[in-house]
Amino acid sequence: MRAWFLAVPLVVYLAVFLVFPVGEAVRLAFTDSVSGTFPSLESFRTIADDGLFWRALRVNLALPLLAVALELVAGLGLALLFAERLPARRLLRAAVLLPFALPEIVFLTILRSILTPRGYLSGALVGLGAQPVDLLAPGTFASFVSVALVDAWRTTPLVFLILLGALVAIPGEIGQAARVDGASAWRRFWHVTLPLLRPAIVAAVLLRGLDALRIFAAPLVLTGVEGMPVLSTYAFHQWSDYGDDGAAAAASVVLAVVCVLASVPLLRRRITA
Amino acid sequence: MKRRGIVLLAFAIAGVNLVPLWLVVKQALTPERESFAWPPTWVPHELTLSNFSGAAEAVPLAQGLGLSVGVAVATVISTLALSLPAAWLAARREEVGSRLDGVVVAARLFPTIAIAVPLAVIFVGLGLYNDSSGAGLWLAHTLLGVPFAFLILRAAFRGVPAELEDAAQLDGASPWMTFVRVSLPLVRPSLGAAAMLVFLVSWDEFAYALLLQVTHRTLPPLLFYLSAFGYPGLSSAVAVLMLVPAVVILLLLEPALRSGVLAGSGR
């Protein structure tokens, strides 16, 4: 049976809309935007001379670390919480999944209203007798943490689902055996539950880490292109504000290289698995 | 005592997670000036629907709604048409499956911006950039839908015993008839779930929509610009429009999601 033709439409589509654009991105990145000379390093020189690019690169490398760490702690905490017997469990679960269920742009625009200096958070703080805060001030550490926190809040439900699935798969007898042997709750968690969750934790970190490298909407909506730049928003800025295809493509290529390097551990795991 | 604390904590976390949704709905239904009030109001003082008409005056809202729906529906059709045959093949031929897997995962993980920028340049050349019917955006959204549809459908086809298809063919059914009459009906629940999920992926999509369209925008970029230019009430009205299908689809998908989670836990 010559059944392979069934995959042809998909493969052709991916060749045209994935492989070809990526090749085009590389060609654009190595083409001089002004003179059209190819190959040329002019576009890379343009972005290397731009302080905003270097800030974007640094933020792009640091942001996923903080965001994924926050998600992991929150997701694990929630999974442990939902492994307990809870009343109105389905309702509670729906509420916990809600931030991820909302369209990303809806969640981000309302979070901006919450975090701006005259937003709901400042209002609540003033109501409690504290000072208003500006958590989105351009270039501050506070805004870096805000972007990471907001992204973590939105994607924690994914980590939560992965870890909850793994957690309820652990046979109850294992915990009981440890309890019979006199292990405290903390020791049972540290020496029994956590090692058994390891594969799920690694999977969640890889999945979310690679996603977080591509972060675009959260920094753009919360802080604009210059407040807390990442490589994706920097490329968007070069393209839409300066019309510089070459510089935008060059920044995209840098991000793509970072993503490919970061996905090597993932691919290695797939091969050994 | 400890148990009461755990339950209290769970309800507190659930409550905090409801705050963004509550505030979107509140801002959408109160006059714009109330959204600028200091200190901010947490419950509406005055109810109005004027933000919806206001948003329609400020931006081409009806056009955006039509484009969002059109692009999402077209994306569902093209995604399923591409994924169905490939997913069946991948489920039946492990060596093909593992190879397609790698390509599809690459499509899922590659940075959007590194495709969107060259795609915008290519589309300018082809006349598909800012297309009034959203054709360019549709072609890009299909790329986002394919990994979801392919993986869901492949898992579903794996659940259809190959013996069933062999039996139908022994009875004289053509491979095509076997697929349409035997395999396809058995994966219908997954097909429905994949269709709804792909619709949502396109409906919620922001980055391609921002880069590939300028005057014919779908709802997410319209919402972004209304918010960025300082219209909390108007942008929340657009947000509520976006929420309606998202919430309906997620309620419909909830059983599938639950059984999916359970399937994962059964291993």
Side-chain angles (χ1 to χ4, degrees):
Chain A
M1 254 218 318
R2 291 162 289 114
W4 54 264
F5 73 89
L6 290 171
V8 169
L10 182 64
V11 171
V12 169
Y13 172 81
L14 290 176
V16 174
F17 286 94
L18 181 64
V19 181
F20 177 60
V22 171
E24 187 67 7
V26 174
R27 193 188 66 79
L28 280 169
F30 287 96
T31 303
D32 188 325
S33 298
V34 181
S35 68
T37 328
F38 175 88
S40 150
L41 287 174
E42 198 48 44
S43 294
F44 288 96
R45 256 178 237 127
T46 304
I47 60 171
D49 285 341
D50 188 352
L52 192 63
F53 167 75
W54 294 105
R55 270 180 65 205
L57 183 62
R58 280 200 303 275
V59 174
N60 211 137
L61 295 175
L63 200 61
L65 294 178
L66 181 58
V68 173
L70 290 168
E71 282 156 37
L72 203 58
V73 172
L76 186 60
L78 279 174
L80 290 169
L81 188 64
F82 274 76
E84 302 281 330
R85 275 180 302 117
L86 290 174
R89 199 187 149 78
R90 276 185 65 183
L91 210 67
L92 287 176
R93 226 189 62 148
V96 166
L97 298 184
L98 188 67
F100 192 69
L102 297 178
E104 183 180 22
I105 192 72
V106 171
F107 184 75
L108 292 175
T109 48
I110 197 65
L111 256 296
R112 186 162 167 268
S113 298
I114 292 174
L115 296 174
T116 54
R118 286 174 63 82
Y120 295 92
L121 186 67
S122 278
L125 287 174
V126 169
L128 295 171
Q131 290 295 309
V133 284
D134 184 2
L135 296 174
L136 299 176
T140 57
F141 183 67
S143 68
F144 172 78
V145 175
S146 297
V147 173
L149 256 175
V150 168
D151 191 56
W153 189 2
R154 201 182 74 81
T155 49
T156 291
L158 266 182
V159 179
F160 161 64
L161 283 180
I162 294 174
L163 296 185
L164 183 64
L167 195 61
V168 298
I170 298 175
E173 295 87 31
I174 296 182
Q176 279 161 20
R179 194 186 309 223
V180 170
D181 287 346
S184 67
W186 172 248
R187 285 177 58 92
R188 285 203 302 278
F189 170 72
W190 193 253
H191 292 289
V192 179
T193 313
L194 212 51
L196 287 169
L197 283 180
R198 212 184 110 97
I201 291 175
V202 171
V205 167
L206 286 173
L207 176 77
R208 279 297 313 142
L210 288 175
D211 259 353
L213 281 172
R214 308 183 297 173
I215 190 167
F216 174 68
L220 182 65
V221 173
L222 293 173
T223 71
V225 285
E226 295 195 1
M228 194 46 63
V230 291
L231 290 174
S232 291
T233 60
Y234 179 78
F236 170 70
H237 167 62
Q238 282 290 351
W239 185 80
S240 84
D241 297 341
Y242 296 142
D244 192 336
D245 298 344
S252 314
V253 166
V254 172
L255 176 61
V257 169
V258 170
C259 286
V260 168
L261 289 179
S263 61
V264 167
L266 176 76
L267 298 174
R268 189 175 294 155
R269 250 175 63 82
R270 288 175 61 84
I271 292 164
T272 53
Chain B
M1 196 53 222
K2 185 189 158 222
R3 203 179 128 62
R4 182 179 292 177
I6 286 174
V7 172
L8 224 58
L9 181 64
F11 275 93
I13 291 171
V16 170
N17 276 297
L18 290 174
V19 168
L21 179 62
W22 168 253
L23 290 176
V24 169
V25 176
K26 191 221 87 174
Q27 286 194 359
L29 297 178
T30 54
E32 194 74 279
R33 64 174 180 281
E34 190 177 328
S35 296
F36 287 116
W38 182 261
T41 61
W42 292 85
V43 285
H45 288 189
E46 192 184 333
L47 286 172
T48 173
L49 288 175
S50 63
N51 286 327
F52 291 90
S53 51
E57 280 160 29
V59 293
L61 189 59
Q63 175 194 289
L65 186 63
L67 262 178
S68 270
V69 172
V71 169
V73 169
T75 301
V76 169
I77 294 168
S78 56
T79 302
L80 293 184
L82 290 171
S83 307
L84 258 179
W88 181 84
L89 182 67
R92 290 290 171 261
R93 304 282 163 84
E94 207 40 61
E95 75 281 4
V96 182
S98 59
R99 242 175 258 167
L100 279 177
D101 233 23
V103 185
V104 164
V105 168
R108 164 80 177 71
L109 293 177
F110 207 75
T112 303
I113 196 79
I115 302 170
V117 166
L119 215 48
V121 174
I122 294 168
F123 282 171
V124 168
L126 295 175
L128 284 172
Y129 177 73
N130 194 31
D131 184 72
S132 61
S133 58
L137 192 55
W138 158 57
L139 290 166
H141 280 184
T142 303
L143 192 63
L144 296 176
V146 158
F148 289 100
F150 175 81
L151 293 175
I152 291 173
L153 292 172
R154 188 186 58 179
F157 280 126
R158 275 186 180 156
V160 177
E163 294 79 19
L164 222 54
E165 293 173 356
D166 295 343
Q169 299 214 17
L170 278 177
D171 286 344
S174 66
W176 172 246
M177 285 293 278
T178 308
F179 181 74
V180 173
R181 289 285 171 81
V182 179
S183 318
L184 206 51
L186 286 170
V187 300
R188 207 157 54 191
S190 296
L191 194 61
M196 289 191 279
L197 200 63
V198 171
F199 183 93
L200 267 195
V201 166
S202 169
W203 179 259
D204 294 356
E205 205 281 330
F206 173 63
Y208 284 117
L210 194 62
L211 266 90
L212 298 181
Q213 306 284 117
V214 258
T215 52
H216 298 94
R217 291 204 186 274
T218 51
L219 294 181
L222 290 180
L223 166 51
F224 167 66
Y225 282 114
L226 278 176
S227 162
F229 291 144
Y231 299 98
L234 303 188
S235 68
S236 296
V238 180
V240 166
L241 285 184
M242 281 196 66
L243 277 176
V244 174
V247 169
V248 169
I249 287 181
L250 283 162
L251 288 178
L252 290 171
L253 272 181
E254 215 260 327
L257 185 69
R258 221 154 8 110
S259 64
V261 172
L262 291 179
S265 65
R267 248 181 290 137

PDB file of all heavy atoms in Angstrom, chain A residues 3-15:
ATOM      1  N   ALA A   3       0.558   4.302   1.185  1.00  0.00           N
ATOM      2  CA  ALA A   3      -0.238   5.189   2.028  1.00  0.00           C
ATOM      3  C   ALA A   3       0.488   6.490   2.349  1.00  0.00           C
ATOM      4  O   ALA A   3      -0.118   7.422   2.854  1.00  0.00           O
ATOM      5  CB  ALA A   3      -0.617   4.476   3.326  1.00  0.00           C
ATOM      6  N   TRP A   4       1.790   6.548   2.014  1.00  0.00           N
ATOM      7  CA  TRP A   4       2.564   7.724   2.423  1.00  0.00           C
ATOM      8  C   TRP A   4       2.003   9.020   1.856  1.00  0.00           C
ATOM      9  O   TRP A   4       2.193  10.089   2.403  1.00  0.00           O
ATOM     10  CB  TRP A   4       4.030   7.572   2.005  1.00  0.00           C
ATOM     11  CG  TRP A   4       4.203   7.272   0.547  1.00  0.00           C
ATOM     12  CD1 TRP A   4       4.352   6.041  -0.012  1.00  0.00           C
ATOM     13  CD2 TRP A   4       4.218   8.212  -0.544  1.00  0.00           C
ATOM     14  NE1 TRP A   4       4.457   6.141  -1.373  1.00  0.00           N
ATOM     15  CE2 TRP A   4       4.385   7.462  -1.735  1.00  0.00           C
ATOM     16  CE3 TRP A   4       4.114   9.605  -0.637  1.00  0.00           C
ATOM     17  CZ2 TRP A   4       4.438   8.048  -2.996  1.00  0.00           C
ATOM     18  CZ3 TRP A   4       4.173  10.197  -1.883  1.00  0.00           C
ATOM     19  CH2 TRP A   4       4.329   9.427  -3.059  1.00  0.00           C
ATOM     20  N   PHE A   5       1.266   8.933   0.715  1.00  0.00           N
ATOM     21  CA  PHE A   5       0.752  10.165   0.105  1.00  0.00           C
ATOM     22  C   PHE A   5      -0.197  10.900   1.049  1.00  0.00           C
ATOM     23  O   PHE A   5      -0.444  12.085   0.893  1.00  0.00           O
ATOM     24  CB  PHE A   5       0.065   9.861  -1.234  1.00  0.00           C
ATOM     25  CG  PHE A   5      -1.265   9.189  -1.100  1.00  0.00           C
ATOM     26  CD1 PHE A   5      -2.438   9.952  -0.978  1.00  0.00           C
ATOM     27  CD2 PHE A   5      -1.368   7.802  -1.099  1.00  0.00           C
ATOM     28  CE1 PHE A   5      -3.665   9.330  -0.851  1.00  0.00           C
ATOM     29  CE2 PHE A   5      -2.599   7.189  -0.966  1.00  0.00           C
ATOM     30  CZ  PHE A   5      -3.748   7.950  -0.837  1.00  0.00           C
ATOM     31  N   LEU A   6      -0.723  10.192   2.070  1.00  0.00           N
ATOM     32  CA  LEU A   6      -1.624  10.836   3.021  1.00  0.00           C
ATOM     33  C   LEU A   6      -0.933  11.938   3.808  1.00  0.00           C
ATOM     34  O   LEU A   6      -1.574  12.869   4.285  1.00  0.00           O
ATOM     35  CB  LEU A   6      -2.176   9.786   3.998  1.00  0.00           C
ATOM     36  CG  LEU A   6      -3.170   8.790   3.397  1.00  0.00           C
ATOM     37  CD1 LEU A   6      -3.467   7.681   4.379  1.00  0.00           C
ATOM     38  CD2 LEU A   6      -4.457   9.504   2.995  1.00  0.00           C
ATOM     39  N   ALA A   7       0.391  11.817   3.947  1.00  0.00           N
ATOM     40  CA  ALA A   7       1.115  12.833   4.714  1.00  0.00           C
ATOM     41  C   ALA A   7       1.602  13.968   3.828  1.00  0.00           C
ATOM     42  O   ALA A   7       2.098  14.977   4.324  1.00  0.00           O
ATOM     43  CB  ALA A   7       2.297  12.193   5.443  1.00  0.00           C
ATOM     44  N   VAL A   8       1.444  13.820   2.511  1.00  0.00           N
ATOM     45  CA  VAL A   8       2.006  14.812   1.588  1.00  0.00           C
ATOM     46  C   VAL A   8       1.444  16.217   1.794  1.00  0.00           C
ATOM     47  O   VAL A   8       2.213  17.174   1.889  1.00  0.00           O
ATOM     48  CB  VAL A   8       1.862  14.346   0.117  1.00  0.00           C
ATOM     49  CG1 VAL A   8       2.185  15.471  -0.843  1.00  0.00           C
ATOM     50  CG2 VAL A   8       2.770  13.155  -0.139  1.00  0.00           C
ATOM     51  N   PRO A   9       0.104  16.383   1.906  1.00  0.00           N
ATOM     52  CA  PRO A   9      -0.401  17.759   2.080  1.00  0.00           C
ATOM     53  C   PRO A   9       0.213  18.453   3.293  1.00  0.00           C
ATOM     54  O   PRO A   9       0.642  19.606   3.205  1.00  0.00           O
ATOM     55  CB  PRO A   9      -1.910  17.567   2.266  1.00  0.00           C
ATOM     56  CG  PRO A   9      -2.216  16.241   1.669  1.00  0.00           C
ATOM     57  CD  PRO A   9      -0.981  15.400   1.822  1.00  0.00           C
ATOM     58  N   LEU A  10       0.279  17.733   4.419  1.00  0.00           N
ATOM     59  CA  LEU A  10       0.818  18.332   5.640  1.00  0.00           C
ATOM     60  C   LEU A  10       2.299  18.678   5.466  1.00  0.00           C
ATOM     61  O   LEU A  10       2.748  19.771   5.840  1.00  0.00           O
ATOM     62  CB  LEU A  10       0.636  17.381   6.826  1.00  0.00           C
ATOM     63  CG  LEU A  10       1.126  17.916   8.170  1.00  0.00           C
ATOM     64  CD1 LEU A  10       0.310  19.136   8.574  1.00  0.00           C
ATOM     65  CD2 LEU A  10       1.038  16.854   9.251  1.00  0.00           C
ATOM     66  N   VAL A  11       3.055  17.761   4.875  1.00  0.00           N
ATOM     67  CA  VAL A  11       4.493  17.995   4.706  1.00  0.00           C
ATOM     68  C   VAL A  11       4.738  19.167   3.756  1.00  0.00           C
ATOM     69  O   VAL A  11       5.575  20.029   4.015  1.00  0.00           O
ATOM     70  CB  VAL A  11       5.190  16.705   4.218  1.00  0.00           C
ATOM     71  CG1 VAL A  11       6.629  16.992   3.823  1.00  0.00           C
ATOM     72  CG2 VAL A  11       5.133  15.632   5.298  1.00  0.00           C
ATOM     73  N   VAL A  12       3.958  19.228   2.670  1.00  0.00           N
ATOM     74  CA  VAL A  12       4.112  20.342   1.732  1.00  0.00           C
ATOM     75  C   VAL A  12       3.761  21.656   2.422  1.00  0.00           C
ATOM     76  O   VAL A  12       4.485  22.657   2.316  1.00  0.00           O
ATOM     77  CB  VAL A  12       3.227  20.137   0.475  1.00  0.00           C
ATOM     78  CG1 VAL A  12       3.179  21.399  -0.371  1.00  0.00           C
ATOM     79  CG2 VAL A  12       3.743  18.959  -0.339  1.00  0.00           C
ATOM     80  N   TYR A  13       2.653  21.642   3.170  1.00  0.00           N
ATOM     81  CA  TYR A  13       2.245  22.864   3.870  1.00  0.00           C
ATOM     82  C   TYR A  13       3.347  23.342   4.822  1.00  0.00           C
ATOM     83  O   TYR A  13       3.705  24.525   4.836  1.00  0.00           O
ATOM     84  CB  TYR A  13       0.946  22.635   4.652  1.00  0.00           C
ATOM     85  CG  TYR A  13       0.611  23.805   5.538  1.00  0.00           C
ATOM     86  CD1 TYR A  13      -0.003  24.938   5.025  1.00  0.00           C
ATOM     87  CD2 TYR A  13       0.992  23.805   6.870  1.00  0.00           C
ATOM     88  CE1 TYR A  13      -0.242  26.038   5.812  1.00  0.00           C
ATOM     89  CE2 TYR A  13       0.751  24.898   7.679  1.00  0.00           C
ATOM     90  CZ  TYR A  13       0.133  26.007   7.145  1.00  0.00           C
ATOM     91  OH  TYR A  13      -0.081  27.102   7.935  1.00  0.00           O
ATOM     92  N   LEU A  14       3.896  22.384   5.615  1.00  0.00           N
ATOM     93  CA  LEU A  14       4.937  22.765   6.574  1.00  0.00           C
ATOM     94  C   LEU A  14       6.197  23.243   5.859  1.00  0.00           C
ATOM     95  O   LEU A  14       6.887  24.146   6.343  1.00  0.00           O
ATOM     96  CB  LEU A  14       5.259  21.590   7.507  1.00  0.00           C
ATOM     97  CG  LEU A  14       4.164  21.233   8.513  1.00  0.00           C
ATOM     98  CD1 LEU A  14       4.548  19.999   9.305  1.00  0.00           C
ATOM     99  CD2 LEU A  14       3.906  22.396   9.461  1.00  0.00           C
ATOM    100  N   ALA A  15       6.503  22.664   4.696  1.00  0.00           N
ATOM    101  CA  ALA A  15       7.673  23.116   3.946  1.00  0.00           C
ATOM    102  C   ALA A  15       7.483  24.560   3.494  1.00  0.00           C
ATOM    103  O   ALA A  15       8.399  25.383   3.575  1.00  0.00           O
ATOM    104  CB  ALA A  15       7.910  22.199   2.754  1.00  0.00           C
TER     105      ALA A  15
END
